[in-house]
Amino acid sequence: MSYQFPDNFLWGGAIAANQVEGAYLTDGKGLSTSDLQPHGVLAEAVERHDGDSGIKDVAIDFYHRYPEDIALFAEMGFKCLRTSIAWTRIFPQGDEETPNEAGLAFYDRLFDEMSKYNIQPLVTLSHYEMPYGLVKKHGGWGNRRTIEFFERYARTVFQRYQHKVKYWLTFNEINMSLHAPFTGVGLPSDSSRQDIYQAIHHQLVASAKAVSACHEIIPDAKIGNMLLGGILYPLSCKPADVIETQQQNRDWLFFGDVQVRGYYPSYMNRFFKQRGITLHITDDDRQALKHTVDFISFSYYMSGCVTTDEELNQKARANILNMVPNPHLESSEWGWQIDPQGLRYLLNVLYDRYQKPLFIVENGLGAKDKIDSDGSINDDYRIKYLNDHLVQVGEAIEDGVEVLGYTCWGPIDLVSASKAEMSKRYGFIYVDRDDAGNGTLERKKKKSFYWYQSVIGSNGQTLK
Ligand code: BG6
């Protein structure tokens, strides 16, 4: 069967500033929370001292090599590139009155380079990082004043790039704060649920204020939210498992409900009450939340299962999201369960729930690549993973779901988020750098490069 992707479908790839740019203190950039996480977003943050270094300090040196990388993306036929702005390049400490011109100028150069090839930028305002200055001095998102600092930053970049960027996202995987509070909201990992949900509330308000500012400053732009699409299935058809699954899916759908509907869903009243959480929500907050997103974007890598069986749950505590493995699925080398049909299911769940356009802004396979003796990299496993997921996107489009585009994660190898590894590679383009930071940073096309080029060139007709 061949699939009918819309003519203006935004094919492309997704990267994030802290995982590609490097140049972590160049041109006036301040330290970000990510710069304090040399071992990844799930590890404890560490204070930096003179002489300390981390793999992300250089990353893949996109800050200096972006013209070469954009040219390669263009060669694959990209219509869109999702990237993020490092907030600390614009406001190095986060609470300055005026922005850092050198940081603003960098993104001008980057967007101009993309425009040469008609590649639409899709820009995330905050992808797993914020100014460390805001954490140290103001307590991160725990402090309501961070809303104001974020709004100033958002307005600054909307103003500056209003003619260059027409697709925006607010916070990357906003629901991830529940699992990684320092990464998401700048709070210590042992923070109470009360403090984390209050910080999340501030972030939801800030997200809505950014939506409003974007609509005011760039009326022809579209701005979306960004969710970790962590869809869960009941492990069995036992009604108790089904109810528990519904509850656990609401843990993350809650974020979308607020950002798309403009108010807290009623099921959260019971949730907060049972956990002794009381949020401070002002009238102004309630007004702000009414500014809802134009589309919903999400990442999708895997699905998981839910059970009420305590023994199985104990075993599952070891993995990233405490998900119980699905006995019907295979896993990647990193233990992420591969479930292409889950993507079709998730697209339908979100579209049924919100009836707003969807954008898949991350999906991909992290794997160890091997360079063959003739210099080639034959990443058939990656081609299979992506093909199978895109087929399911085609199915969802047939189902009637409105999908704006697909930007697969890491079209060029980059530093992984969870453990800051280079060896977990997602790219169509290989980067010569290892986990210890050795390598020339040279770029090389993998077999999947030509495969994706043909998928985009045929608007999905070569998928099978
Ligand atoms: C998403 C993040 O959670 O997953 C990305 O938005 C991240 O930043 C991606 O890189 C894949 O995770 P990892 O740990 O394999 O890099």
Side-chain angles (χ1 to χ4, degrees):
M1 167 157 181
S2 68
Y3 297 96
Q4 213 48 57
F5 286 81
D7 288 341
N8 54 358
F9 193 73
L10 291 168
W11 295 99
I15 56 177
N18 75 84
Q19 292 170 263
V20 295
E21 286 177 3
Y24 83 109
L25 288 179
T26 304
D27 293 337
K29 178 180 170 296
L31 276 184
S32 74
T33 47
S34 167
D35 295 323
L36 272 74
Q37 294 179 300
H39 305 297
V41 299
L42 301 171
E44 286 298 322
V46 285
E47 284 281 350
R48 285 187 80 122
H49 303 288
D50 285 350
D52 285 354
S53 64
I55 190 101
K56 288 183 272 180
D57 298 359
V58 175
I60 59 161
D61 195 30
F62 183 75
Y63 193 79
H64 299 107
R65 292 167 195 249
Y66 68 88
E68 182 190 348
D69 296 340
I70 303 292
L72 287 165
F73 298 151
E75 197 181 327
M76 274 187 278
F78 277 27
K79 314 275 182 236
C80 175
L81 177 69
R82 173 182 176 222
T83 189
S84 64
I85 294 177
W87 185 349
T88 46
R89 290 201 192 282
I90 314 301
F91 290 97
Q93 299 303 315
D95 59 359
E96 294 89 342
E97 294 281 332
T98 47
N100 171 34
E101 177 53 35
L104 286 167
F106 167 68
Y107 293 103
D108 267 323
R109 294 196 296 278
L110 176 62
F111 300 142
D112 288 346
E113 195 66 24
M114 288 161 65
S115 135
K116 276 193 204 164
Y117 303 98
N118 284 323
I119 298 177
Q120 285 273 357
L122 164 63
V123 175
T124 317
L125 291 169
S126 177
H127 188 123
Y128 278 0
E129 60 181 333
M130 69 186 296
Y132 181 53
L134 288 184
V135 172
K136 214 169 166 171
K137 198 161 145 201
H138 300 278
W141 285 100
N143 186 342
R144 178 171 278 283
R145 280 205 70 195
T146 298
I147 302 175
E148 186 190 308
F149 300 131
F150 179 78
E151 193 183 354
R152 184 180 305 157
Y153 157 62
R155 284 182 173 272
T156 302
V157 295
F158 292 152
Q159 208 73 51
R160 177 75 170 220
Y161 308 120
Q162 58 180 304
H163 302 298
K164 301 183 181 182
V165 181
K166 301 295 180 182
Y167 288 92
W168 295 88
L169 302 176
T170 57
F171 295 95
N172 183 62
E173 294 189 339
I174 188 165
N175 44 320
M176 190 59 181
S177 300
L178 298 174
H179 309 282
F182 184 75
T183 302
V185 283
L187 290 187
S189 56
D190 58 358
S191 301
S192 66
R193 289 276 124 173
Q194 165 73 41
D195 289 348
I196 294 173
Y197 272 101
Q198 185 64 49
I200 284 171
H201 170 71
H202 295 150
Q203 208 170 56
L204 287 167
V205 171
S207 172
K209 289 199 172 200
V211 169
S212 160
C214 182
H215 289 159
E216 174 196 320
I217 299 168
I218 330 179
D220 61 338
K222 295 204 181 313
I223 181 161
N225 61 341
M226 199 300 195
L227 302 167
L228 186 165
I231 195 76
L232 296 167
Y233 308 138
L235 187 66
S236 80
C237 51
K238 218 162 87 180
D241 283 0
V242 176
I243 292 281
E244 182 58 24
T245 307
Q246 182 185 52
Q247 301 296 318
Q248 289 197 26
N249 273 322
R250 282 174 169 176
D251 287 355
W252 68 273
L253 284 167
F254 147 70
F255 293 80
D257 288 350
V258 177
Q259 293 179 304
V260 182
R261 295 178 179 150
Y263 53 88
Y264 276 58
S266 55
Y267 60 78
M268 287 309 274
N269 294 336
R270 181 174 189 179
F271 178 93
F272 288 139
K273 204 164 155 200
Q274 284 178 336
R275 287 161 184 78
I277 295 171
T278 313
L279 295 187
H280 176 56
I281 303 179
T282 66
D283 287 344
D284 182 55
D285 293 349
R286 286 187 215 283
Q287 278 306 111
L289 289 176
K290 289 185 184 158
H291 295 280
T292 56
V293 291
D294 303 314
F295 65 95
I296 297 118
S297 85
F298 64 91
S299 61
Y300 177 76
Y301 294 91
M302 59 186 147
S303 59
C305 291
V306 173
T307 175
T308 45
D309 181 316
E310 236 345 274
E311 209 174 304
L312 291 175
N313 278 323
Q314 276 307 335
K315 281 197 205 146
R317 303 261 186 266
N319 72 42
I320 165 176
L321 300 172
N322 297 340
M323 293 191 307
V324 178
N326 186 326
H328 306 286
L329 299 176
E330 308 264 300
S331 296
S332 77
E333 289 170 88
W334 271 263
W336 292 16
Q337 288 207 294
I338 302 171
D339 179 13
Q341 284 181 305
L343 179 52
R344 173 181 175 186
Y345 178 63
L346 175 59
L347 283 160
N348 276 282
V349 166
L350 292 174
Y351 199 62
D352 284 352
R353 195 169 182 108
Y354 301 126
Q355 299 282 297
K356 285 221 176 169
L358 304 177
F359 205 142
I360 304 147
V361 297
E362 284 187 36
N363 172 236
L365 178 71
K368 288 193 173 122
D369 290 329
K370 181 171 111 307
I371 306 185
D372 289 343
S373 51
D374 63 355
S376 60
I377 301 167
N378 294 296
D379 53 343
D380 293 296
Y381 37 89
R382 182 168 295 112
I383 294 172
K384 178 170 173 29
Y385 178 102
L386 294 170
N387 177 82
D388 293 355
H389 282 77
L390 279 166
V391 161
Q392 296 301 323
V393 176
E395 292 285 349
I397 292 171
E398 286 290 315
D399 291 335
V401 178
E402 191 181 349
V403 188
L404 295 174
Y406 174 89
T407 56
C408 60
W409 179 249
I412 182 166
D413 292 345
L414 39 68
V415 182
S416 82
S418 42
K419 293 206 179 126
E421 296 163 300
M422 272 305 301
S423 51
K424 188 176 188 187
R425 298 175 182 275
Y426 285 87
F428 304 118
I429 301 161
Y430 184 89
V431 176
D432 180 26
R433 193 160 198 238
D434 67 16
D435 289 342
N438 303 309
T440 60
L441 290 166
E442 198 191 319
R443 280 55 171 155
K444 193 185 203 20
K445 296 169 195 170
K446 304 181 194 174
K447 185 174 177 185
S448 55
F449 182 98
Y450 302 100
W451 170 82
Y452 199 43
Q453 189 180 49
S454 74
V455 171
I456 299 178
S458 68
N459 200 27
Q461 293 301 302
T462 55
L463 294 167
K464 34 187 189 243

